[in-house]
Amino acid sequence: MAPLKFCANISWLFTELPDFSQRMYAAAAAGFRAVEAAWLYEADVAELQRARKATGLELVLINTPPGDVKRGDLGLGAVPGREAEFRQGLDLALKYAKALDCKRIHLMAGRVPLGSNRAAVAKEMEAIFVQNLNYAAEIFSKEGITGLIEPINTRITDPRYFLDSPHQGETPSAKCNQSVFFARRVTSSHGVELLSSCPLRSWRRLESQTSSCKWMSFTGK
């Protein structure tokens, strides 16, 4: 087995520094050779480019924009009626990914709308998600970018998040980004079984809200 390689999630690490470019320098100084970020769209692209070039860091993953966080959005990929906003966000993610030579984009599914019953809207949301994944895949294939999806446990972390199983929205258009933390909570005693459906990629992510390692997540091929 090849040696493990770790990347720092600078959305959760080095948060004492306000700018993502500063966090990149801090990650490099701490010995990391790669970073990822959730949403860095308020950061200046030129500043991020300079930091990446100066440090030699690889940016291994970014997320599509969350939507309107103040309204409770956490991605738009499966949300009914928000398809146009998803595509606008995808364009923005592509702009940053291409500028920063990032080869992976996490396509966030989003939450079940407030007031909706999960079971009642599940089929509609899954159909929208697959449609959006296929739309993104056509673009990604031309740009040399891999699209990823990530199930989030709905028992503890986010009860309204739509994607809580790697089998939802199953399509060859996207690959699986699976967290051990979420896997253990999605499947309880079957966490290892769930992980076996997501073969390991080369980078392992470190993330924590306290600037120390709390868990690792594994990115599937």
Side-chain angles (χ1 to χ4, degrees), residues 49 62 93-102 105 143 145:
Q49 287 177 315
I62 59 175
L94 279 166
K95 173 186 173 181
Y96 274 72
K98 291 166 68 175
L100 299 169
D101 197 28
C102 177
I105 295 177
E143 301 291 349
I145 289 174

Side-chain angles (χ1 to χ4, degrees), residues 70-202:
K70 292 181 180 179
R71 288 175 50 190
D73 290 339
L74 191 65
L76 300 172
V79 182
R82 308 288 293 277
E83 292 89 342
E85 292 174 76
F86 170 80
R87 295 186 179 194
Q88 291 171 359
L90 184 64
D91 288 342
L92 182 61
L94 279 166
K95 173 186 173 181
Y96 274 72
K98 291 166 68 175
L100 299 169
D101 197 28
C102 177
K103 298 301 184 183
R104 302 173 191 87
I105 295 177
H106 168 204
L107 299 150
M108 298 201 71
R111 290 170 168 152
V112 174
L114 278 172
S116 297
N117 177 275
R118 177 182 288 271
V121 299
K123 286 187 177 180
E124 179 187 10
M125 292 187 71
E126 185 165 312
I128 291 170
F129 195 35
V130 171
Q131 177 183 318
N132 281 331
L133 291 178
N134 288 328
Y135 172 83
E138 288 189 22
I139 299 172
F140 287 173
S141 65
K142 298 172 184 176
E143 301 291 349
I145 289 174
T146 298
L148 300 174
I149 59 174
E150 181 174 14
I152 295 177
N153 81 85
T154 53
R155 290 192 299 150
I156 299 173
T157 304
D158 195 323
R160 287 176 46 224
Y161 199 74
F162 170 69
L163 190 67
D164 63 355
S165 162
H167 309 296
Q168 284 174 290
E170 196 167 315
T171 168
S173 303
K175 300 178 181 181
C176 181
N177 181 45
Q178 182 60 63
S179 166
V180 174
F181 175 80
F182 292 145
R184 292 296 296 172
R185 284 153 179 77
V186 169
T187 62
S188 186
S189 62
H190 298 96
V192 174
E193 184 177 305
L194 183 149
L195 286 169
S196 70
S197 70
C198 303
L200 302 185
R201 184 176 288 279
S202 57

